[in-house]
Amino acid sequence: MSRSVYGMILSLLLVSCTNMIETKKNENKFAGSLSELNLNLEVTKRTLSNGMKVLISENHKLPIFSLYTYYDVGGRYEYPGTTGSTHFLEHMLFKKTKNNPAGTFSKFIESNGGNSNAYTTFDNTVYYENVPSYTIEEIIKLEAERMENLELEPEAFEKERQVVLEERKMRYENSPRGQIFQAMMKTIFEGTPYGGSVIGDAKDVKNLSREKMMEFYKDFYAPNNAIMVIVGDVDTNAVIDYLEDQIGKIKANDKLDALKAKLDQKSRYISKAKLPVVKKIHGQSATPMFTLSYPAPGIGTEEGYALDFLASILGTGASSYLTQTFVTNRRPKLESIYAANYTLKNSGVFFIQGQLLDKVNLNKFRRSLMKSISKSCHQAVTERNVQKTKNILLVNYYSNIQTNAGLGSFLGSNEFFYGDYKKYEEELAIYNSMDVEKVRAVCQKYLSPKKAAFISVWKKHRK
């Protein structure tokens, strides 16, 4: 799966439980290819009467379980004037509901030695808990309650608005990295739902009404818009019966499919970006920080997988091409550099980011970087480097297959993005078949200077 930066791809794609791996007999388990690795996942997949998808995988090693709930709603379903609604709403899901006072959810988790959290992306909103097995029924009740009965108490709503605005300042307005990332998204995805930040524009967050958020909640927090994944020490049949009893009775949103079809129209995701472009932004960075970005394909394409390889070859680790060229050589120009392939449901961006050393001329460096990129398709993409990337995948495949939470994230992400948690079988085959020609082809196609956006943040740039 190629939906985000390379490290995130590895952690989400290649996570499972250690007792669920099979290799060919009589072979060194690290000597084989990716195609020789098989996840022997025992997963039960069901759909409740109201349309909610359920995935359950039992693991009885310890009396604990992880529960992930994926909602198909993110920044891509927002319009100008409502940006940040999804993220703001995520905060409110931990507040008062019809039958539970504010704080009930978190207090129950913490009092039983567990932990919980949530995150919002452009494509989805995900809630997760890691708790003892004896809490399974109460956790399901709590999830059912906040799926159906959120109240958006006025006082709590206004307090959380300020929390979100402060979070925005910390992540974007007062952070050079946040500034440059937001500028990149606005530039590459101009005029599309991806052209901003998940937290939203400050003006929109300040003006968002409770009524508008409640409308958003009722539209998208429906069982037929959710996937629930449970991994750990549970009884599958008993859990499914209990889910049907507690969540199966929640009414589905019959208008959801039509609404999502409208919001997912391809025309909404056609970027109006005018490339190439060079932008300079005033910020707090003592030395120039930069990003060089290019439009790229969305999730699940073979070209996207090839771009994952290219990102690793160019900018992952001390031996990567750009690190050796600009950071560790005899005359270094950069403090750091990395490359990433960030893919979303309906589009993507390939980018290179780094920070200059003191007294390095920004304009001269930009020209030098562009020349290096043009040479990299042949100089960096070699059989050795392609194989090294496959080895990285192999090592991470083993090192990340440790926890219930890891498997929950893995199953949920594949089911969410592809509609089938078994998608990893196809992905591993694609990664294993990757070769020099395929990686060079995407390098030449997508890393064109005519499609580039070079953005820098520096305290010496004009305000």
Side-chain angles (χ1 to χ4, degrees):
M1 182 155 65
S2 55
R3 76 177 171 281
S4 93
V5 297
Y6 193 71
M8 187 178 295
I9 294 162
L10 294 175
S11 65
L12 292 181
L13 169 63
L14 304 174
V15 180
S16 178
C17 289
T18 53
N19 63 331
M20 296 180 178
I21 295 298
E22 290 185 346
T23 58
K24 289 186 175 181
K25 293 181 179 180
N26 301 319
E27 291 183 6
N28 184 319
K29 69 178 181 179
F30 288 104
S33 67
L34 289 172
S35 64
E36 294 171 340
L37 299 172
N38 296 291
L39 276 175
N40 185 26
L41 297 178
E42 295 183 4
V43 180
T44 298
K45 181 177 176 178
R46 294 284 188 273
T47 301
L48 300 186
S49 56
N50 56 11
M52 189 177 85
K53 291 183 180 180
V54 178
L55 302 177
I56 301 177
S57 181
E58 296 185 18
N59 176 16
H60 301 289
K61 282 191 171 182
L62 294 171
I64 56 177
F65 73 94
S66 296
L67 187 151
Y68 278 72
T69 307
Y70 284 70
Y71 288 95
D72 187 10
V73 59
R76 80 183 197 279
Y77 282 168
E78 298 167 353
Y79 281 96
T82 66
T83 63
S85 299
T86 314
H87 173 255
F88 193 165
L89 183 55
E90 173 219 307
H91 281 231
M92 296 306 299
L93 261 286
F94 292 89
K95 305 300 181 181
K96 187 179 185 300
T97 62
K98 178 181 178 181
N99 298 304
N100 292 330
T104 298
F105 194 98
S106 298
K107 287 178 182 177
F108 178 80
I109 300 288
E110 292 169 8
S111 66
N112 284 281
N115 60 77
S116 67
N117 213 328
Y119 61 87
T120 304
T121 73
F122 279 107
D123 287 325
N124 58 22
T125 307
V126 182
Y127 301 83
Y128 58 92
E129 299 89 46
N130 303 295
V131 285
S133 299
Y134 64 81
T135 66
I136 182 67
E137 291 189 357
E138 187 61 29
I139 292 295
I140 289 172
K141 285 182 182 178
L142 289 169
E143 289 292 0
E145 174 69 11
R146 66 178 176 178
M147 181 185 289
E148 185 180 27
N149 292 320
L150 186 65
E151 288 208 338
L152 297 181
E153 237 184 343
E155 184 178 352
F157 184 83
E158 292 305 325
K159 285 184 178 179
E160 207 61 30
R161 189 198 303 275
Q162 298 308 312
V163 171
V164 172
L165 288 169
E166 285 301 314
E167 182 182 351
R168 191 184 191 284
K169 287 181 182 179
M170 179 183 70
R171 289 194 179 186
Y172 295 107
E173 296 165 21
N174 297 331
S175 166
R177 288 188 181 278
Q179 277 184 294
I180 208 166
F181 183 79
Q182 185 175 28
M184 178 188 76
M185 297 297 286
K186 285 184 175 181
T187 301
I188 295 295
F189 299 112
E190 183 179 351
T192 81
Y194 293 140
S197 72
V198 173
I199 292 180
D201 292 338
K203 182 179 179 181
D204 291 350
V205 176
K206 289 177 182 177
N207 294 322
L208 183 65
S209 68
R210 288 177 58 249
E211 291 74 21
K212 192 66 179 177
M213 183 178 283
M214 183 57 74
E215 180 183 323
F216 208 76
Y217 170 72
K218 290 184 180 298
D219 281 341
F220 296 107
Y221 278 73
N224 54 322
N225 201 41
I227 300 167
M228 184 171 287
V229 185
I230 301 174
V231 180
D233 185 29
V234 298
D235 181 290
T236 298
N237 292 329
V239 168
I240 290 174
D241 288 344
Y242 199 72
L243 284 168
E244 187 66 61
D245 179 67
Q246 294 295 317
I247 296 181
K249 63 186 179 183
I250 298 174
K251 190 176 184 302
N253 181 357
D254 296 332
K255 299 178 181 179
L256 183 65
D257 289 344
L259 175 61
K260 288 167 65 173
K262 178 181 178 182
L263 294 172
D264 278 328
Q265 290 181 54
K266 291 184 179 180
S267 58
R268 291 191 75 218
Y269 299 92
I270 299 174
S271 176
K272 298 177 178 62
K274 297 177 177 62
L275 303 172
V277 66
V278 175
K279 294 183 178 181
K280 297 180 178 180
I281 302 169
H282 177 80
Q284 298 177 12
S285 185
T287 59
M289 183 178 292
F290 75 90
T291 183
L292 174 63
S293 54
Y294 307 85
I299 193 167
T301 66
E302 189 162 349
E303 286 187 328
Y305 297 126
L307 286 169
D308 292 344
F309 271 69
L310 184 61
S312 178
I313 291 168
L314 293 184
T316 299
S319 63
S320 64
Y321 175 77
L322 293 175
T323 298
Q324 290 189 334
T325 303
F326 294 108
V327 179
T328 61
N329 66 355
R330 292 183 179 180
R331 294 182 179 179
K333 294 181 173 65
L334 299 179
E335 178 183 315
S336 62
I337 192 169
Y338 72 93
N341 183 39
Y342 180 30
T343 56
L344 298 148
K345 266 199 168 184
N346 299 299
S347 195
V349 56
F350 186 99
F351 65 96
I352 296 159
Q353 185 169 311
Q355 186 157 8
L356 276 66
L357 292 171
D358 192 25
K359 298 181 181 179
V360 174
N361 183 278
L362 178 61
N363 291 328
K364 287 183 179 179
F365 166 74
R366 177 172 56 83
R367 291 191 290 269
S368 178
L369 176 62
M370 297 301 291
K371 287 180 181 178
S372 292
I373 294 298
S374 65
K375 295 177 182 178
S376 69
C377 295
H378 284 279
Q379 290 185 356
V381 183
T382 63
E383 288 188 14
R384 180 178 180 179
N385 283 336
V386 170
Q387 184 58 51
K388 184 183 77 171
T389 300
K390 290 183 182 181
N391 294 341
I392 291 172
L393 283 168
L394 184 62
V395 170
N396 279 275
Y397 188 90
Y398 281 100
S399 64
N400 288 321
I401 51 177
Q402 302 297 323
T403 65
N404 290 332
L407 180 56
S409 175
F410 167 74
L411 294 173
S413 294
N414 277 281
E415 188 68 30
F416 175 82
F417 284 102
Y418 304 116
D420 184 4
Y421 72 89
K422 292 182 179 179
K423 176 69 175 180
Y424 66 87
E425 296 172 352
E426 179 184 335
E427 289 178 330
L428 287 176
I430 292 172
Y431 279 126
N432 190 55
S433 69
M434 201 61 61
D435 56 32
V436 170
E437 288 71 25
K438 291 177 182 177
V439 181
R440 283 181 177 172
V442 295
C443 183
Q444 292 165 347
K445 179 178 179 179
Y446 290 101
L447 271 60
S448 165
K450 294 181 180 180
K451 302 175 184 177
F454 186 90
I455 304 170
S456 59
V457 172
W458 191 20
K459 67 179 183 180
K460 293 185 179 181
H461 286 332
R462 291 182 180 179
K463 292 185 178 180

